[in-house]
Amino acid sequence: MSTTLLAMNCRKVFLTLGGGRGVTNAAFGSHFVSVPRRSIIDLSYSTHFMDFKGSSIPSSMKKLVVTKLSQNFREAVSLQIVPVPTPGDGDLLIRNRFVGINASDINYTAGRYDPSVKPPFDAGFEGIGEVVGLGLSASARFTVGDTVAYFGSGSFAEYTVVPAKAIVRVPSVKPQFLTLLVSGATAYIALKRLGDLAEGQTVLVTAAAGGTGQFAVQFAKMAKCHVVGTCSSDEKSGFLKTIGCDRPINYRSEDLAGVLQREYPRGLDVVYESVGAASSIWPSTAWPRRRARFFLPHFLSDYGEAMADMLRKCGSGELVCEVDVGEMTPEGHFVGLESVYRAVDHMYAGKNLGKVVVQLPAAVESKL
């Protein structure tokens, strides 16, 4: 979610340097997808409504809690059984069906974002699911059964309370829509606000087949740029070609610096970088003179417009939202909060193709 913009010889070089802390008080505007509504019961005798009967909400749930600061996610985070929370007046209770894995997860557990935040605190930054409870004020805009997504803290839980103002409506509970909340929005807003892309420019995207890289490639192609993408396997190279990447570079079988010097002697106009690889692209004496950092929470005024446009493009098939649910791992799909540990390891090992997503099946059969 944070980026750095570099310039060398009047050419723009754009860097993404990992994730930022989740935001719980973002105002997302009025760009929402219209979905069918259900009537709710008379709320005059209560400040909140919990659909215990319709959705069979249990009394307790599982969630992941950061109990110590460490960059080792498995050591920092523990699985706990806690009561299901009750939404306040302006809140929604979301039953999470899919949660996203981000570089921010380890940055947060390591205490890199806000040293004043001490354990224990909740983990996870994005989720998608169904509304199963809501406060009285929140019921003016939402109702039980609405399908929604959110970018905030505490998503690594079976149920999460989220302020209604931080909610994005989605057409259905599909993991593809989850990919847009942080990964898609980071690439979309960063390239639009700082990339200053123009037709015919040469853009390099590192980790191009990853959760954020896949969107940077597509948005650069939409701007009619020539796109070079780095990746770590022939399978990922093949995927990059399907989303329009002009020159995938498998850095495990090709020399990245050599390819760039040989095939792009005039240099690069923009580099979107998400893994700190700039030093492997340029010699230390040729580092760009200027850099500008992008941090998604600083651009929330653009978030509503970005989400509306991406949801439209995703729905029409114009935008590919590749997800990695672990089906190719030895242990199989990432299902349940217990598999979040494995999913984090999978992403940090660079084995993912697309956005890493974990499915959280309902504990009981839903009647919604």
Side-chain angles (χ1 to χ4, degrees), residues 2-6 12-18 190 194 206 270-279 281-282 287-288 290-294:
S2 59
T3 63
T4 300
L5 184 69
L6 310 178
K12 296 180 221 41
V13 182
F14 192 57
L15 288 178
T16 301
L17 300 178
L194 301 179
T206 67
V270 177
V271 174
Y272 189 99
E273 206 280 310
S274 58
V275 292
S279 59
I281 299 173
W282 297 284
W287 265 80
R290 182 173 64 87
R291 65 183 69 181
R293 186 178 297 271
F294 172 90

Side-chain angles (χ1 to χ4, degrees), residues 281-353:
I281 299 173
W282 297 284
S284 59
T285 57
W287 265 80
R289 294 186 297 272
R290 182 173 64 87
R291 65 183 69 181
R293 186 178 297 271
F294 172 90
F295 188 49
L296 182 58
H298 295 168
F299 292 83
L300 292 178
S301 61
D302 298 279
Y303 196 88
E305 178 184 352
M307 284 301 303
D309 191 27
M310 290 188 295
L311 283 168
R312 180 184 61 79
K313 286 182 169 65
C314 183
S316 67
E318 184 180 355
L319 184 65
V320 174
C321 306
E322 186 71 17
V323 297
D324 186 338
V325 294
E327 69 271 23
M328 302 303 293
T329 64
E331 299 90 343
H333 288 73
F334 301 131
V335 179
L337 284 174
E338 296 86 351
S339 68
V340 167
Y341 299 98
R342 187 162 56 90
V344 169
D345 291 342
H346 181 68
M347 183 193 68
Y348 268 87
K351 298 179 180 179
N352 60 299
L353 178 58

Side-chain angles (χ1 to χ4, degrees), residues 51-126:
D51 189 22
F52 287 99
K53 185 175 182 180
S55 58
S56 301
I57 301 174
S59 59
S60 62
M61 67 173 192
K62 297 177 182 178
K63 77 172 181 178
L64 295 183
V65 178
V66 180
T67 56
K68 63 177 290 188
L69 296 181
S70 172
Q71 63 181 12
N72 185 322
F73 188 83
R74 290 179 179 271
E75 291 183 356
V77 178
S78 66
L79 181 67
Q80 299 185 4
I81 305 296
V82 299
V84 172
T86 300
D89 180 62
D91 300 331
L92 304 178
L93 178 66
I94 311 301
R95 178 172 55 207
N96 294 314
R97 290 306 183 92
F98 294 95
V99 295
I101 306 299
N102 295 285
S104 303
D105 297 322
I106 287 184
N107 290 331
Y108 197 33
T109 62
R112 294 171 183 159
Y113 291 142
D114 187 352
S116 66
V117 177
K118 304 298 181 183
F121 53 85
D122 296 340
F125 291 115
E126 56 188 346

